[in-house]
Amino acid sequence: MFEVKSLAEKYDFPDLFTVRFAKEKVYIGDTAYPIGQLSVDMLNISKESMHQLKNLSDTFAKAIDQKFFSPKEEKTKDMVIEVQDTWNELIAVAQKFPVIKDLQIPQERLQQILVTTYDEFHEKCHDAVQECGIYCDMFAELAFGWIRMINDIATFLSYASAFVNLFLERLKYHNPEAYASAYYDFMTNRQVQLEIEKTIPHGLPLISQTHEVGLEFVTMTEQNESHSFCIAERFVFTNLFSFLQVDLSRGLMIGHAPKKCQNCGKYFLLENGYHVSYCTNIAPGETTRTCRQVGAHKKSAAQTKTPAQAEYQKLYNRLKTRKNRKKISVEEWNQTVAWAQEMKDKAERGEISEWELKEMFERV
């Protein structure tokens, strides 16, 4: 894909990566997504996956703090290999997550970076740790980006799930104006914001609507159209949370919003002009039908009444009107409704015909 840009980064990391926004899509590398889709994908991350990533992140943080950067620990090659292995495990699992899996991460280089620099590192740090400050600083910054990644994801999930479940799901209309109103209500609700802040890991900054990013405008070809050009915004983000919040907010601006499927419970991207309640993923327990197909079936079934149910509903409505007008007592209402339910059940079991049921109800 052709792109004209002043900078030419070759690699991405969780704390320094480049994305492009063009029209209604966001590009990470050569992969394009509808704006807002990556936020939705992150919302669908399971608790088990988050727990696994958190454990690996904690193990890695403990290893580099207590071993790799500790002045009391001798920097043996075995120790370096042990720390490298914990880092590699973290990288392998993280690259299954949305956004991270599309970044141009130099995986082969990272998987050996501590070991391949061991000799030089050990030579400079053997007698005095202060002599290898440049190396410690380099690895500390690189390692912290991977450790912060899990906190960025956890913070976003707390923030976005509260917004979607408490404010977007209750909307009657689904368009940019309605989303803007919901977003204002969310951001100005102090009680909700305080609850979210309680979930942010200690030591990290609170959620902010201000993000420091690099921005330039570039020319690029549109996806699958090598002769069609467009102007794109090229962003350089220094943390994952900022990108996810920008992706979510930009989606709302163009009418893209997360919505929870009423069948499987997962989130999907609701695009402008559509008002659906089910996603297009394969439904739980199904092999070919999607949640949207299953949902349409359920809706049709709910709207379809048996003749007995239809006759019962007519009688129920007549009795309710009489009760409200005080033409029958509450006791008479309860007794008649109970009798009508019993007759309806008999008709559905085939003990009386639907015609007999209709005649009985008409005499009431």
Side-chain angles (χ1 to χ4, degrees):
M1 182 178 296
F2 173 76
E3 177 184 354
V4 178
K5 59 185 181 183
S6 59
L7 300 177
E9 296 93 339
K10 295 182 180 179
Y11 302 118
D12 292 317
F13 299 93
D15 60 342
L16 186 64
F17 59 94
T18 301
V19 303
R20 290 159 294 165
F21 287 92
K23 295 187 176 179
E24 294 189 359
K25 293 186 179 296
V26 55
Y27 295 81
I28 302 183
D30 290 330
T31 306
Y33 296 91
I35 295 178
Q37 183 62 57
L38 289 167
S39 302
V40 169
D41 292 344
M42 195 64 81
L43 279 167
N44 282 324
I45 290 295
S46 68
K47 291 182 179 179
E48 292 77 15
S49 295
M50 283 295 295
H51 184 68
Q52 181 186 21
L53 190 66
K54 179 67 164 63
N55 286 342
L56 291 173
S57 179
D58 290 345
T59 300
F60 176 52
K62 183 178 179 180
I64 61 171
D65 181 54
Q66 297 183 3
K67 295 181 178 181
F68 197 76
F69 293 124
S70 173
K72 299 179 181 179
E73 288 287 332
E74 183 182 356
K75 307 302 185 290
T76 66
K77 191 161 187 175
D78 287 341
M79 181 272 286
V80 173
I81 292 174
E82 180 184 347
V83 175
Q84 181 74 69
D85 287 343
T86 62
W87 195 356
N88 292 346
E89 290 180 27
L90 173 61
I91 293 173
V93 172
Q95 288 191 302
K96 298 176 183 178
F97 277 59
V99 184
I100 303 298
K101 68 181 182 181
D102 292 312
L103 297 182
Q104 304 300 307
I105 294 172
Q107 186 168 345
E108 292 185 6
R109 174 187 166 195
L110 283 181
Q111 286 178 338
Q112 294 295 325
I113 194 169
L114 299 184
V115 178
T116 54
T117 57
Y118 167 75
D119 291 335
E120 185 177 2
F121 185 92
H122 182 64
E123 179 183 346
K124 291 181 178 294
C125 298
H126 185 67
D127 297 323
V129 174
Q130 58 269 26
E131 294 180 6
C132 68
I134 185 172
Y135 294 94
C136 288
D137 291 343
M138 178 182 68
F139 288 123
E141 184 176 352
L142 189 60
F144 178 73
W146 287 91
I147 295 170
R148 174 174 174 168
M149 171 186 61
I150 179 65
N151 294 326
D152 279 348
I153 296 173
T155 300
F156 174 76
L157 292 180
S158 296
Y159 163 89
S161 60
F163 173 53
V164 174
N165 296 330
L166 299 178
F167 293 85
L168 289 188
E169 286 294 317
R170 69 185 186 186
L171 292 178
K172 182 178 180 180
Y173 301 103
H174 299 271
N175 53 50
E177 184 178 1
Y179 298 150
S181 177
Y183 188 73
Y184 176 82
D185 291 342
F186 170 65
M187 294 306 303
T188 55
N189 190 313
R190 187 56 183 160
Q191 182 179 356
V192 172
Q193 296 302 317
L194 287 173
E195 289 299 318
I196 294 175
E197 288 175 5
K198 292 178 183 178
T199 67
I200 298 176
H202 178 72
L204 289 182
L206 300 180
I207 294 174
S208 171
Q209 298 306 302
T210 303
H211 304 282
E212 293 185 5
V213 299
L215 170 63
E216 65 175 346
F217 295 93
V218 299
T219 302
M220 60 177 282
T221 55
E222 296 189 43
Q223 193 177 33
N224 301 324
E225 296 183 23
S226 59
H227 300 291
S228 179
F229 293 85
C230 66
I231 300 295
E233 295 171 297
R234 180 177 173 277
F235 284 86
V236 178
F237 288 95
T238 57
N239 64 82
L240 189 56
F241 176 77
S242 290
F243 166 72
L244 290 169
Q245 191 175 23
V246 169
D247 181 60
L248 174 62
S249 301
R250 279 177 167 257
L252 297 174
M253 291 166 61
I254 62 173
H256 293 185
K259 185 171 179 60
K260 183 175 285 189
C261 175
Q262 292 185 8
N263 187 57
C264 68
K266 291 185 176 181
Y267 296 94
F268 66 97
L269 187 65
L270 185 65
E271 299 187 33
N272 192 28
Y274 295 91
H275 180 47
V276 293
S277 300
Y278 303 94
C279 70
T280 55
N281 297 320
I282 298 298
E286 297 283 340
T287 56
T288 58
R289 292 198 304 171
T290 66
C291 286
R292 194 162 296 177
Q293 291 170 325
V294 171
H297 225 29
K298 287 181 177 179
K299 185 176 181 181
S300 176
Q303 292 175 342
T304 303
K305 295 180 179 179
T306 66
Q309 291 171 335
E311 291 300 327
Y312 169 79
Q313 191 64 50
K314 290 179 185 177
L315 177 60
Y316 179 89
N317 291 339
R318 290 202 308 272
L319 292 171
K320 187 175 181 180
T321 299
R322 293 176 190 173
K323 178 178 73 73
N324 291 339
R325 293 177 179 175
K326 301 187 183 303
K327 292 185 176 181
I328 59 174
S329 66
V330 174
E331 184 178 355
E332 290 175 315
W333 150 266
N334 290 331
Q335 290 177 348
T336 309
V337 168
W339 169 82
Q341 288 177 334
E342 183 180 351
M343 295 302 105
K344 173 182 71 69
D345 293 341
K346 282 188 175 183
E348 291 184 332
R349 291 195 299 267
E351 296 177 10
I352 59 175
S353 69
E354 295 171 355
W355 178 255
E356 289 175 315
L357 180 73
K358 180 179 175 66
E359 286 190 325
M360 291 167 61
F361 282 2
E362 287 178 349
R363 290 196 295 266
V364 176

